[in-house]
Amino acid sequence: MLFLVLTITFLVGFGGIWIYTKFNEFNTESENLKKDYIEEQKDILVSKSNECIDFINYQNTRSESRLKNRLQNFVDQAHSIAIYIYNQNKGKLSDVEIKKRIKEAISPLRFTNDRGYIFINNLSGKGILYPLSKENENKSLINFKDINGNYIVKNEVELIKYKDSGFTKYVNSKEVKNKYNAYTKISYIKKFAPYNWYFGSFAYLDDLQPEIQKETLIRISQINMNQDNYFFVYKKDGTCLLHADSASIGKNFKDYSNKIRRENVKRLINAAKLDKSVFVNYKLPNTEDSEKISYVKFIKEWDWIIGAGVNTSELDKNIEIARNELRGNVRKYILQIVLLIVIAIVIIYITSKTISVKMKQNFTSINNFFRKASTQLYKVDIDELHFSEFQDMGTTINRMIDIRTQKENELQIAREKAEESDRLKSSFLANMSHEIRTPMNAIIGFSELLQEDDLPFETRQQFFIHIRNSGNSLLNLINDIIDFSKIESGKLKISKTYYCLNQLFDELYHTFEKIKTSKSRDHIELKFTKGLEDSESVIYTDPLRLKQIITNLVENALKFTEKGSIHVSYQLNESKLIFTVEDTGIGISSEKQKIIFSRFRQADDSHARRYGGTGLGLSISKKLSELLNGDMWVESTEDVGSSFFVSIPYIVDDKSSSSPIKKMSRNGVNKDLTGKKILIVDDYNVNITLIKQMLQSTGVSMSSADNGLTAIKKCGSSHFDLVLLDLQMPELNGYDTLKLIKKDNPEIKIVAQTAYALANEKEQIMDSGFDGYIAKPIIKKNLLSLINEMI
């Protein structure tokens, strides 16, 4: 009842006040309607005119950036053409012929209505190409000045020393237009490194003005105006640029046949010149009482007068129409309010009773939820709720309970995974520390013992063997970590070639016979069985990665086999080669077989494990098998042994004349190099000493340099058959040193030596122009083989 009484009182009071207010407003608006309407039309004219001005200002502000973009695209296009010609002909044609082809391709290019072109200078300021000014070619332009006394070429050369590309801008401060009738000049230049050139082109900011003005006229013509109004644009001299009457465009107002129209346009132009922006009232031609109000604005930068107007004769008609509409609306609103009050009283009385009952039930259900939700997973019964809003609220509440339950379960699972991950990480780090410190302990310990003077020769030799074996173990560990990093980042590349599988088995057999002896496993039988004849065993694969997979499996077999035998074999099964490494070792339980191919996981990853290792070998081998489009799996029984299987596609060499990869003859390693000269370039003196000791027995003459600049000087003053060049050096790195040495001595063989072992390192080095590559740590045998190939 309270709700009903308040509602009726509000409607009656509001309706009475509204009716009284509307009558007062009607009287006031009737008096001010004409004045307001005129002001409204003026505001519209000003607003629409400001849209035009804003667009003009916008066009002016972006003209410079638009010109720069066009210049840059033009020069980049020419630069790309030159790079393409250079890359296509490098090493095939002489530099003179390549330069000639580049100039012939660039000369016809034009920009900004054939006024712009591509010019080429070298970094000394000498003109290389000037299609429209041939007199500037082969001539020093370093002291060339423009109309304002600016050093053009000198400034460009200074800019290109510090940047590969850039813009220059020159403003004519004298405001005297040059031969192109322009004030501001903008240039863009870009360095062409192969010949120490730079490409460039220039244009004048005024070149874009006609284009921008044309776009502006189109934009102004598209601005909507009320009724039959329109925008008009005249030049300062009276030439019409835009008008609703298309016949007027391009004519001067002085040529209009109607005298009144000529006078009107003259008044508009003169008013705009004096006041920049102003309203002008004038009579329309061919009418008696019609008047027009126009708003005009003067754009000094372009000498334009922009304007638009409204006919006042239309105002009286509109005012009368508005007055009649207002009077009718007041009557209609009074009747609507009275009818609304009556209907509201009836509806509110009927519905308020029903709503209050159902609302009470809804609140009761929601309150029950909040009382129980803190201690139990209580849900709201949707069937007890009567309104869609409360039903949606109940659905949301029940969904919240479901999500809460789900999140609690997910949190428990995530907690268990986090604990497992933390345990694996701790185990891996502890294991990695052990695997690194163990060989380091031997290296450091035996190195200290070698300093003792009274050691027998045999003992000293044994210590050297221990140090070398420990170093190799440490290097294998680092290689495993790098391979794993490459695989995880997706950067490990597979380099397939034709290779003899039987030759690979022979190499592995001889290698592991020696390893077996070094690991005191001579009592274990090691057998390699070939499944194909030599002529059928030439396959297309990555021999390095295949060898890495089999090596990992055989090393694991040797590690976990105390007695018995290890059998390595392969056989052809339809279109696949199946490799098998079978041992009689400790075996693997069925539970552990599920995790041994996971990273950082081993069959025994506790601190008390007996056999060591990082847990990366099988994970890497599994990934490498998949990169070779194959697979890896295991079959094993505890205390009986294990069999690891690897499958790869069998792709046969189609060329019957293909032969296996040739082995390096041992005599080639010890080739006499007397009379040959080698330059060793490395900023670390210990590396220079090491390489000299390795090459001492060859009879080669050696010289050294500790940085790139010194190496360049030595190559300039003396002849060398080979340069061993370190990549990472102070002052000048190996890549830049290579370019400068090859520039004056292209016949010198240069081999890169680097400690980097990241993805694509070798490809990057060879693509840079090096003749060879050797990775640190440097092995004497590999170094001698590489030198014999080079010289």
Side-chain angles (χ1 to χ4, degrees):
M1 291 301 295
L2 177 62
F3 179 62
L4 182 62
V5 171
L6 291 175
T7 303
I8 295 173
T9 303
F10 171 76
L11 289 175
V12 172
F14 177 78
I17 295 172
W18 188 88
I19 292 172
Y20 175 78
T21 302
K22 280 298 177 181
F23 272 109
N24 287 337
E25 289 179 356
F26 175 75
N27 294 328
T28 303
E29 289 181 6
S30 296
E31 297 174 359
N32 298 327
L33 190 57
K34 183 173 183 178
K35 179 181 177 181
D36 292 343
Y37 191 84
I38 293 174
E39 293 300 323
E40 179 185 353
Q41 293 302 314
K42 286 185 175 181
D43 290 341
I44 292 174
L45 292 176
V46 173
S47 175
K48 295 296 184 180
S49 298
N50 287 336
E51 286 185 31
C52 300
I53 303 305
D54 290 341
F55 186 77
I56 290 173
N57 292 335
Y58 166 72
Q59 289 287 66
N60 282 330
T61 56
R62 66 189 290 259
S63 60
E64 182 172 333
S65 62
R66 181 188 295 187
L67 183 59
K68 284 185 176 180
N69 287 337
R70 292 184 181 180
L71 277 172
Q72 185 171 357
N73 291 337
F74 183 54
V75 175
D76 287 347
Q77 178 188 3
H79 190 273
S80 298
I81 292 172
I83 287 293
Y84 176 80
I85 294 172
Y86 176 77
N87 290 335
Q88 288 294 313
N89 297 281
K90 180 177 63 175
K92 301 176 183 178
L93 300 176
S94 66
D95 284 346
V96 174
E97 181 62 26
I98 294 175
K99 290 177 181 179
K100 179 181 177 182
R101 292 194 178 188
I102 291 174
K103 291 168 66 176
E104 289 175 349
I106 300 303
S107 292
L109 299 180
R110 292 295 181 268
F111 177 66
T112 60
N113 299 323
D114 289 340
R115 283 166 56 179
Y117 57 87
I118 294 293
F119 64 83
I120 305 175
N121 293 327
N122 64 21
L123 298 185
S124 299
K126 180 180 178 181
I128 303 299
L129 175 66
Y130 280 86
L132 301 184
S133 303
K134 294 292 185 179
E135 66 274 9
N136 290 332
E137 295 182 0
N138 298 317
K139 173 183 175 182
S140 178
L141 305 176
I142 198 70
N143 294 319
F144 177 77
K145 297 181 181 179
D146 65 3
I147 191 172
N148 291 318
N150 297 311
Y151 284 98
I152 302 298
V153 178
K154 181 182 291 185
N155 292 341
E156 291 172 349
V157 170
E158 288 299 318
L159 174 63
I160 214 69
K161 285 181 180 179
Y162 302 101
K163 297 171 63 177
D164 289 339
S165 63
F167 290 95
T168 61
K169 178 179 178 182
Y170 300 99
V171 178
N172 190 343
S173 59
K174 300 177 182 179
E175 296 190 357
V176 177
K177 293 190 177 182
N178 54 28
K179 64 179 180 179
Y180 292 113
N181 197 31
Y183 290 111
T184 301
K185 174 184 174 183
I186 296 175
S187 299
Y188 176 73
I189 57 176
K190 185 169 185 178
K191 186 175 182 180
F192 186 72
Y195 294 130
N196 286 326
W197 289 354
Y198 68 88
F199 287 33
S201 186
F202 63 89
Y204 298 93
L205 200 57
D206 294 15
D207 290 340
L208 287 182
Q209 193 174 84
E211 178 183 339
I212 293 173
Q213 290 178 346
K214 183 177 179 181
E215 293 178 4
T216 302
L217 289 173
I218 294 174
R219 177 67 181 88
I220 294 174
S221 67
Q222 295 171 348
I223 296 178
N224 294 325
M225 295 291 293
N226 293 336
Q227 301 174 349
D228 296 328
N229 301 327
Y230 56 87
F231 268 101
F232 56 84
V233 179
Y234 284 89
K235 293 183 69 173
K236 185 178 179 181
D237 60 4
T239 302
C240 180
L241 301 177
L242 179 67
H243 201 279
D245 179 14
S246 59
S248 299
I249 298 176
K251 292 183 178 179
N252 194 289
F253 78 92
K254 298 175 183 177
D255 298 328
Y256 291 164
S257 59
N258 190 294
K259 181 179 179 181
I260 297 177
R261 188 182 179 194
R262 289 199 305 270
E263 292 297 324
N264 290 342
V265 176
K266 183 177 180 180
R267 285 185 60 195
L268 292 172
I269 293 176
N270 290 337
K273 290 179 182 178
L274 294 174
D275 223 348
K276 291 190 177 179
S277 59
V278 67
F279 285 98
V280 180
N281 293 10
Y282 53 91
K283 293 283 186 180
L284 291 175
N286 303 323
T287 59
E288 295 181 359
D289 299 326
S290 296
E291 289 187 356
K292 190 171 184 178
I293 300 174
S294 289
Y295 177 75
V296 290
K297 196 171 184 69
F298 180 51
I299 310 299
K300 182 179 178 182
E301 293 82 359
W302 291 356
D303 287 341
W304 279 13
I305 289 90
I306 298 177
V310 59
N311 295 331
T312 58
S313 59
E314 298 292 330
L315 295 180
D316 294 332
K317 297 178 183 178
N318 293 333
I319 289 171
E320 187 60 31
I321 293 172
R323 183 179 287 111
N324 292 333
E325 289 180 355
L326 184 59
R327 188 181 296 112
N329 287 337
V330 170
R331 294 194 189 101
K332 183 173 63 176
Y333 289 150
I334 292 172
L335 292 176
Q336 288 176 350
I337 289 177
V338 173
L339 182 61
L340 179 62
I341 291 174
V342 175
I343 295 173
I345 292 172
V346 177
I347 294 176
I348 292 174
Y349 179 76
I350 295 172
T351 58
S352 61
K353 194 82 174 178
T354 304
I355 292 175
S356 73
V357 173
K358 293 184 178 181
M359 289 286 287
K360 183 177 180 180
Q361 294 176 354
N362 291 337
F363 282 115
T364 299
S365 296
I366 299 298
N367 286 335
N368 288 336
F369 163 75
F370 283 111
R371 281 196 301 270
K372 298 179 180 180
S374 61
T375 57
Q376 55 184 299
L377 297 175
Y378 175 78
K379 290 188 175 182
V380 177
D381 188 354
I382 305 298
D383 296 334
E384 294 181 357
L385 305 178
H386 298 283
F387 300 108
S388 61
E389 291 81 1
F390 282 94
Q391 290 172 352
D392 291 342
M393 184 185 298
T395 302
T396 303
I397 290 172
N398 291 341
R399 188 182 300 115
M400 180 179 69
I401 296 300
D402 292 336
I403 293 174
R404 174 181 169 185
T405 303
Q406 178 186 350
K407 292 301 180 183
E408 287 177 351
N409 294 335
E410 291 177 354
L411 183 61
Q412 181 62 28
I413 294 172
R415 179 180 178 182
E416 293 173 357
K417 289 183 178 180
E419 290 174 351
E420 173 67 7
S421 176
D422 186 63
R423 187 188 69 79
L424 287 176
K425 181 183 69 174
S426 299
S427 175
F428 173 73
L429 292 176
N431 184 31
M432 189 63 66
S433 175
H434 173 269
E435 293 299 319
I436 292 175
R437 288 176 179 272
T438 297
M440 285 301 296
N441 179 61
I443 292 171
I444 296 173
F446 285 115
S447 296
E448 290 181 352
L449 292 176
L450 285 172
Q451 297 177 4
E452 298 179 4
D453 297 332
D454 56 348
L455 283 176
F457 177 77
E458 293 79 7
T459 302
R460 191 179 296 274
Q461 288 297 109
Q462 190 65 35
F463 286 178
F464 281 128
I465 293 173
H466 290 327
I467 291 174
R468 183 183 62 190
N469 291 340
S470 297
N472 288 334
S473 298
L474 189 59
L475 181 60
N476 290 335
L477 174 61
I478 294 172
N479 288 336
D480 279 349
I481 296 173
I482 292 174
D483 282 344
F484 179 75
S485 174
K486 292 179 184 177
I487 292 172
E488 288 292 295
S489 63
K491 294 182 178 180
L492 189 138
K493 302 296 183 182
I494 295 298
S495 300
K496 292 186 177 181
T497 186
Y498 288 107
Y499 195 82
C500 180
L501 192 56
N502 287 348
Q503 178 179 317
L504 175 63
F505 261 48
D506 290 339
E507 293 174 357
L508 289 173
Y509 174 75
H510 293 298
T511 299
F512 278 100
E513 279 293 327
K514 297 177 181 179
I515 294 176
K516 185 178 69 170
T517 301
S518 67
K519 292 182 178 289
S520 301
R521 290 287 199 271
D522 286 328
H523 60 284
I524 295 176
E525 180 186 0
L526 179 63
K527 184 179 180 182
F528 278 75
T529 302
K530 306 170 185 176
L532 295 172
E533 297 295 330
D534 288 349
S535 60
E536 298 175 338
S537 67
V538 178
I539 62 172
Y540 186 67
T541 187
D542 187 331
L544 176 64
R545 297 306 176 184
L546 179 59
K547 182 177 182 180
Q548 184 178 352
I549 295 170
I550 299 175
T551 299
N552 279 341
L553 295 179
V554 178
E555 284 180 345
N556 277 352
L558 281 173
K559 183 194 300 185
F560 296 109
T561 302
E562 299 289 344
K563 59 182 179 178
S565 64
I566 297 173
H567 185 198
V568 185
S569 64
Y570 75 87
Q571 61 182 359
L572 179 62
N573 185 1
E574 295 181 354
S575 61
K576 292 184 177 181
L577 286 171
I578 309 297
F579 296 85
T580 305
V581 179
E582 183 179 4
D583 64 61
T584 57
I586 61 176
I588 307 170
S589 67
S590 58
E591 294 80 8
K592 297 298 184 181
Q593 290 178 28
K594 300 176 182 178
I595 66 171
I596 59 173
F597 292 116
S598 301
R599 58 181 184 177
F600 312 140
R601 300 300 295 265
Q602 295 175 300
D604 177 15
D605 56 2
S606 66
H607 287 291
R609 67 184 181 277
R610 175 181 176 185
Y611 298 98
T614 62
L616 294 177
L618 288 178
S619 174
I620 293 173
S621 299
K622 173 77 170 176
K623 293 291 186 181
L624 290 177
S625 301
E626 294 171 354
L627 290 173
L628 293 175
N629 300 321
D631 195 11
M632 177 183 288
W633 66 96
V634 63
E635 295 176 3
S636 181
T637 303
E638 282 190 281
D639 300 325
V640 175
S642 302
S643 295
F644 284 85
F645 302 92
V646 177
S647 72
I648 63 171
Y650 177 58
I651 303 177
V652 184
D653 186 358
D654 294 333
K655 301 177 182 178
S656 58
S657 62
S658 296
S659 58
I661 296 175
K662 297 181 180 179
K663 299 181 181 179
M664 174 67 70
S665 64
R666 294 187 178 181
N667 293 333
V669 172
N670 296 321
K671 179 180 176 182
D672 184 13
L673 300 176
T674 303
K676 301 294 185 180
K677 296 182 67 177
I678 294 179
L679 175 63
I680 307 168
V681 186
D682 200 310
D683 61 318
Y684 190 37
N685 192 51
V686 173
N687 289 337
I688 295 177
T689 302
L690 176 63
I691 294 174
K692 286 185 176 181
Q693 289 296 322
M694 288 180 175
L695 302 180
Q696 188 174 14
S697 61
T698 64
V700 69
S701 175
M702 290 176 281
S703 182
S704 63
D706 59 1
N707 61 69
L709 295 177
T710 304
I712 294 169
K713 292 180 181 178
K714 288 195 174 186
C715 288
S717 60
S718 180
H719 169 73
F720 291 98
D721 298 289
L722 180 67
V723 177
L724 296 175
L725 181 60
D726 187 30
L727 294 182
Q728 191 69 21
M729 296 184 297
E731 297 186 34
L732 197 65
N733 63 43
Y735 292 105
D736 293 335
T737 303
L738 166 76
K739 294 177 182 178
L740 295 174
I741 293 177
K742 285 281 190 180
K743 180 180 178 182
D744 297 323
N745 302 278
E747 75 284 352
I748 294 182
K749 299 287 186 178
I750 302 180
V751 173
Q753 50 166 327
T754 177
Y756 287 123
L758 300 178
N760 298 329
E761 175 72 15
K762 182 175 181 179
E763 290 81 355
Q764 178 185 351
I765 290 172
M766 299 306 293
D767 290 343
S768 299
F770 282 93
D771 300 293
Y773 162 89
I774 188 167
K776 298 176 182 178
I778 296 174
I779 307 301
K780 179 179 179 180
K781 176 178 150 185
N782 297 339
L783 177 61
L784 292 175
S785 297
L786 180 61
I787 292 175
N788 290 331
E789 287 182 21
M790 295 293 108
I791 57 176

